[in-house]
Amino acid sequence: MGIIKRRYRKKNQQKENVYYRAEVYVKGVRVSARTFSTKREAVFWHEQEKHKFTLSPSSLNDRITFKDCVERFWKDAKARMMKSTIQSYECRLTYFYKGPLADIKMSSLKGIHILEWIEWLKKHPTAKNKGRKSFIQEVNFLRTILYWYRNFLNEDFNVPITKKHRQMSFFKPIIPRRPDHYMRPEDGRQWVEWLKERRSNPVYFRLAVFMLLTGTRVGEACGLKWEEVDLEKGTARIIRRVRWDQQTKRPFLEDVTKTVQSARLLMLPEKLKDVFKEMKKEAVNGLVFTDAKGELLKYNAIQSSFNAGFEALNLPWRSTHICRHTFATIALMETKNLSAVQASLGHTEIRMTQRYAKTVALLSSETGEKTASAIFKDSRL
């Protein structure tokens, strides 16, 4: 029994005090410990805690409901998440706490229950939202929770989510994304010129130029300070970002980046250095990109300005992230150096860079010439 009696004496006190330390060990590893003033309390807690940790997976499966599983997952995972991720997940938790899965025991959870839950989602009020075309993100979140349960609570559990469930989560037709998901150079120039001429605040034109020529995320660009910009060396350090609260839409400055690799040093092209030199004359210190009051830019204001230019020029884009796709694709077209583009974007894996820099960028004149010479090697054509 892991009950330890200990004595201690306070300063300037002759009488000894006693307390009992209860410790629970499973397979030689201490998994829980607590201090009590009496031995009876320590023994009672120790027996209860020992019983909880020695439950067989099958008995745990019979006791825990899906709602209990979600609560345990959230308590464990929340501590490792960034605030923006927490807000995004909290919006989806209501689909689990109030849906038809909530009271089902984990021992009874089957694929048919997932199908019933998806049908319930399709009748949910949020399904009527104009932009809502599927519940694939909710299905993926459910998959994450169930895999957490299998990894940490019951290794014998079989995750009942299949390809069928993912397909059924779509209830509206989705227009396939164009394979050339980037702005052509001439479209980018027209768009930037439109922002410069038609917007009273020049910050949106300057922000667009910076994002197009560096491939930074909009939050990274808005979090850039003049102290991180060295115009003599032509560099800018990305070490922080702006986060916009999903409920209030308020901007917050955070001294972190999306990933460790996102913190990086950017080389500024001459065109961008000219823009920054002009901006430097007006700026004192602090943020590079601010609104008319010198405060953090709001995302809906940025998106509204960018989209106004896209609509006026009859361009299909409706997102600030198109600037990042454009930089990646054109940079790969011109350099043919995928690793350099990956470093510029701050991607952890090169597969993500390949998604941004479309396969069209891998085509080169050398490929065509070598193919032609092989096919028509001895031909008179």
Side-chain angles (χ1 to χ4, degrees):
M1 183 179 292
I3 307 296
I4 305 172
K5 182 178 180 180
R6 290 182 176 175
R7 296 181 174 88
Y8 70 96
R9 182 179 296 166
K10 293 183 179 180
K11 190 176 181 181
N12 300 327
Q13 188 178 14
Q14 294 183 352
K15 185 179 179 180
E16 285 188 335
N17 296 305
V18 177
Y19 69 91
Y20 296 86
R21 176 78 170 174
E23 298 178 345
V24 178
Y25 288 83
V26 176
K27 296 181 180 181
V29 179
R30 190 175 70 181
V31 294
S32 187
R34 193 172 170 182
T35 302
F36 299 89
S37 58
T38 66
K39 185 176 181 179
R40 182 177 179 180
E41 292 175 329
V43 172
F44 180 77
W45 177 86
H46 182 274
E47 291 301 315
Q48 281 192 326
E49 199 73 4
K50 185 74 174 179
H51 177 69
K52 181 170 60 176
F53 280 99
T54 54
L55 283 173
S56 65
S58 59
S59 62
L60 177 64
N61 238 5
D62 291 335
R63 289 174 62 251
I64 189 172
T65 63
F66 175 75
K67 185 178 180 179
D68 297 330
C69 174
V70 174
E71 290 177 349
R72 293 191 184 197
F73 160 80
W74 190 239
K75 183 178 180 180
D76 176 63
K78 187 177 180 180
R80 301 188 297 272
M81 295 178 182
M82 301 184 77
K83 289 182 179 179
S84 55
T85 307
I86 290 174
Q87 283 193 333
S88 177
Y89 278 3
E90 281 178 338
C91 296
R92 299 189 177 105
L93 285 175
T94 55
Y95 298 123
F96 303 127
Y97 288 139
K98 297 181 180 179
L101 294 178
D103 297 325
I104 296 177
K105 292 184 178 179
M106 294 303 293
S107 58
S108 305
L109 187 61
K110 307 295 181 185
I112 186 64
H113 299 115
I114 308 297
L115 291 176
E116 292 173 355
W117 175 67
I118 293 174
E119 292 301 322
W120 174 81
L121 286 176
K122 292 179 181 179
K123 298 176 183 177
H124 196 274
T126 57
K128 298 179 182 179
N129 293 346
K130 185 179 180 181
R132 169 74 78 174
K133 293 180 174 61
S134 77
F135 286 96
I136 187 63
Q137 296 297 332
E138 286 70 21
V139 172
N140 290 337
F141 190 18
L142 172 63
R143 184 174 178 271
T144 300
I145 294 171
L146 295 182
Y147 269 102
W148 175 89
Y149 175 73
R150 189 180 75 174
N151 291 332
F152 293 97
L153 296 181
N154 182 8
E155 61 185 14
D156 297 326
F157 178 75
N158 182 32
V159 177
I161 296 180
T162 64
K163 184 178 181 180
K164 178 181 179 180
H165 298 121
R166 291 190 287 273
Q167 289 178 343
M168 289 191 63
S169 66
F170 292 88
F171 58 93
K172 287 182 183 178
I174 297 179
I175 301 174
R177 174 179 284 182
R178 288 171 48 167
D180 58 335
H181 189 69
Y182 70 98
M183 282 189 282
R184 295 177 180 84
E186 57 273 19
D187 293 336
R189 286 194 297 270
Q190 290 180 6
W191 176 61
V192 167
E193 290 170 0
W194 189 94
L195 290 174
K196 184 177 182 180
E197 295 171 359
R198 303 298 178 89
R199 292 285 138 175
S200 58
N201 192 340
V203 68
Y204 300 112
F205 142 72
R206 293 164 174 171
L207 180 64
V209 172
F210 180 76
M211 292 174 63
L212 277 174
L213 298 184
T214 60
T216 50
R217 302 175 180 91
V218 63
E220 295 171 343
C222 292
L224 183 67
K225 290 186 176 182
W226 283 112
E227 59 193 59
E228 274 87 48
V229 178
D230 190 333
L231 292 178
E232 292 184 3
K233 296 181 179 179
T235 60
R237 290 188 301 140
I238 303 298
I239 58 174
R240 67 176 61 83
R241 68 173 185 173
V242 170
R243 176 180 66 84
W244 291 274
D245 189 280
Q246 292 190 11
Q247 279 78 40
T248 64
K249 310 301 180 184
R250 289 180 57 195
F252 296 92
L253 195 62
E254 296 181 333
D255 289 328
V256 294
T257 52
K258 185 176 181 180
T259 63
V260 175
Q261 287 75 14
S262 296
R264 58 201 187 277
L265 183 68
L266 300 176
M267 302 302 297
L268 304 178
E270 290 298 327
K271 177 69 71 174
L272 190 55
K273 285 196 287 186
D274 293 339
V275 174
F276 271 19
K277 288 176 182 178
E278 183 181 346
M279 294 172 63
K280 191 70 173 176
K281 298 175 183 177
E282 307 170 6
V284 182
N285 276 314
L287 295 166
V288 175
F289 302 104
T290 63
D291 61 12
K293 298 179 181 179
E295 298 177 351
L296 293 170
L297 288 170
K298 294 182 178 179
Y299 181 75
N300 54 0
I302 300 170
Q303 191 174 42
S304 176
S305 296
F306 282 19
N307 287 350
F310 292 140
E311 291 177 8
L313 299 172
N314 199 27
L315 297 174
W317 323 118
R318 295 295 181 272
S319 169
T320 59
H321 216 57
I322 190 62
C323 297
R324 191 165 166 84
H325 285 268
T326 301
F327 169 84
T329 307
I330 296 179
L332 186 56
M333 280 182 174
E334 297 299 321
T335 65
K336 305 297 186 294
N337 190 336
L338 193 59
S339 297
V341 177
Q342 179 189 5
S344 298
L345 295 175
H347 281 156
T348 306
E349 298 182 0
I350 204 164
R351 289 183 301 172
M352 181 61 70
T353 308
Q354 290 171 333
R355 288 178 59 185
Y356 274 75
K358 305 300 174 288
T359 53
V360 66
L362 296 174
L363 299 176
S364 66
S365 59
E366 183 181 5
T367 304
E369 291 295 337
K370 288 185 176 181
T371 304
S373 62
I375 295 176
F376 298 103
K377 185 176 182 180
D378 298 323
S379 175
R380 297 181 179 179
L381 292 177

